[in-house]
Amino acid sequence: VLPQTEEVPALVTGVAAGPDRMVAVGQRACERTRDGALGDCWGQAWISTDGLVWEAVDARTSGLDLGSFDYVLHGPELGLGGVAYGPAGFVAYGWAVPTGSIDAEAQTATIQPTLWRSDDGTSWSRLQSPEGFSTTGLMLTGPWLRAITGTDDGYLLGGTVYGTPAPRAAIWASPDGLDWTLAGPDEVFDIGAYIDTMEVPIAGGIAAFAVEPSTDEGAGGVIAVGSSCPSATAGAGPRGRAWKKWDWTTGDCRARIWRSDDGVTWKAGAFRDASGSRVDGYAATTVAAAEDGLLVGVYPRRVLYSGEDSAWAASPDRKVGRQLALAASGVGFDAFIPKCEVADCRRKMLAVWSSAD
């Protein structure tokens, strides 16, 4: 069980394994001011040498300063969204309020996607934001990060670029966590239009990564999964965006898969069975790679698996839901992390289940 205090609940969002330790990261409830309002915020990290006994890192001295909640009126929750281990150590991403972005007169602050790096998971340094990583406007036009993974020669970040008039799935590659390159070609990452939720718009994009095991023939490739809405109508919408009214019965949105040999140049694909028919699923949310194939979690409540022939089949076990985030590491364990709203996590234990097989 991952330790947390009753006074400041936390939520695990990602886990990564290095050569001598594992690091988990997540969101931590912002602290209250004297008058009861939400004030200063920090991300949370935990470390473990075996995946069973975990130690919570002191958030206030960790370097995971997220800024103040005072003027944040919209956008993702402040906190860390994921972590990966690679050549430059542990790199984590999340959302924070940059220094100088608070407009006290207008009482607003723009949160930004943010990166941190650490050698050991206890002391973190905020990295300079790469070019093009800033978000603007009420609907936060710009990058929304949702996934990270480490490889032998660098790191990959995945998510969506909220643009005008349409969104774009996005993958960034970096050798060191400092310099990032947006992968292409652009047409491979076309994901259709936005979905009108009657609140903040959502879109498809990259949700998770997996690195295929190396073989005698060389290093394995990289897999990314997510979703797109290719049949969404590009009608006029607020602020010049293309919108699609979401209807669960239409099946407009589909689970998607992307493959790459080098993390920079990608090819898009679909989940199809041996006959070539598309396997149902609105969005792929998790993926794990093994020597004998791939395992992909798909909403709603389905697991797809594929062997060497690349044909996909749906698992008959429909009890596996989107509430489980599957994180596969290179040291032989899978961590299933139950999710809850960060403010509600004070009534739930944060737990990791480990398995060698």
Side-chain angles (χ1 to χ4, degrees):
V1 176
L2 275 67
Q4 62 174 332
T5 65
E6 194 71 17
E7 293 77 15
V8 186
L11 165 64
V12 179
T13 56
V15 61
D20 62 353
R21 65 184 57 201
M22 304 167 199
V23 173
V25 299
Q27 297 172 343
R28 178 179 182 271
C30 296
E31 299 192 1
R32 298 280 179 175
T33 62
R34 290 184 177 180
D35 59 3
L38 292 175
D40 293 335
C41 309
W42 287 270
Q44 183 64 58
W46 297 263
I47 58 173
S48 173
T49 57
D50 58 8
L52 300 176
V53 179
W54 292 81
E55 175 187 351
V57 176
D58 186 341
R60 297 180 186 85
T61 61
S62 65
L64 296 173
D65 179 10
L66 307 177
S68 176
F69 187 85
D70 289 353
Y71 301 118
V72 176
L73 303 179
H74 59 276
E77 286 192 53
L78 294 177
L80 274 64
V83 63
Y85 182 81
F90 294 97
V91 173
Y93 77 89
W95 292 86
V97 178
T99 302
S101 71
I102 296 177
D103 186 338
E105 183 176 349
Q107 294 190 339
T108 60
T110 299
I111 62 175
Q112 302 287 347
T114 307
L115 301 174
W116 293 265
R117 196 197 72 80
S118 175
D119 291 326
D120 55 11
T122 62
S123 178
W124 295 82
S125 299
R126 186 185 292 198
L127 302 177
Q128 183 176 353
S129 295
E131 183 179 355
F133 263 45
S134 61
T135 57
T136 60
L138 181 61
M139 295 186 182
L140 294 185
T141 297
W144 286 54
L145 306 179
R146 296 191 181 94
I148 188 171
T149 193
T151 66
D152 290 340
D153 54 4
Y155 303 86
L156 296 173
L157 275 169
T160 306
V161 173
Y162 277 33
T164 302
R168 176 197 190 275
I171 294 174
W172 294 265
S174 172
D176 54 11
L178 299 174
D179 298 317
W180 295 85
T181 300
L182 182 63
D186 288 347
E187 59 269 18
V188 169
F189 295 102
D190 179 13
I191 52 173
Y194 294 94
I195 299 301
D196 183 4
T197 65
M198 305 302 291
E199 294 180 355
V200 176
I202 61 174
I206 307 300
F209 289 110
V211 180
E212 295 178 308
S214 300
T215 65
D216 294 339
E217 299 178 357
V222 186
I223 306 297
V225 298
S227 60
S228 66
C229 305
S231 59
T233 56
R239 294 172 175 81
R241 296 183 182 227
W243 290 84
K244 170 66 179 179
K245 182 68 176 178
W246 177 247
D247 183 351
W248 285 104
T249 64
T250 63
D252 282 334
C253 294
R254 295 288 186 180
R256 292 285 303 276
I257 185 170
W258 291 263
R259 297 176 181 266
S260 175
D261 293 328
D262 57 11
V264 176
T265 302
W266 292 78
K267 295 180 180 179
F271 294 98
R272 300 186 182 278
D273 61 21
S275 68
S277 299
R278 185 185 292 270
V279 180
D280 288 339
Y282 295 123
T285 59
T286 57
V287 58
E291 293 181 356
D292 56 353
L294 296 171
L295 186 70
V296 176
V298 174
Y299 183 81
R301 298 182 180 180
R302 179 168 295 194
V303 173
L304 304 181
Y305 60 91
S306 173
E308 296 179 355
D309 59 358
S310 296
W312 292 88
S315 167
D317 183 4
R318 299 185 62 84
K319 295 181 180 180
V320 180
R322 65 172 179 171
Q323 299 303 315
L324 291 179
L326 174 63
S329 82
V331 295
F333 79 94
D334 293 336
F336 293 86
I337 308 171
K339 291 191 173 181
C340 56
E341 295 297 327
V342 64
D344 188 48
C345 283
R346 69 175 66 233
R347 295 189 293 272
K348 302 178 182 180
M349 291 189 300
L350 305 180
V352 172
W353 290 265
S354 64
S355 173
D357 60 1

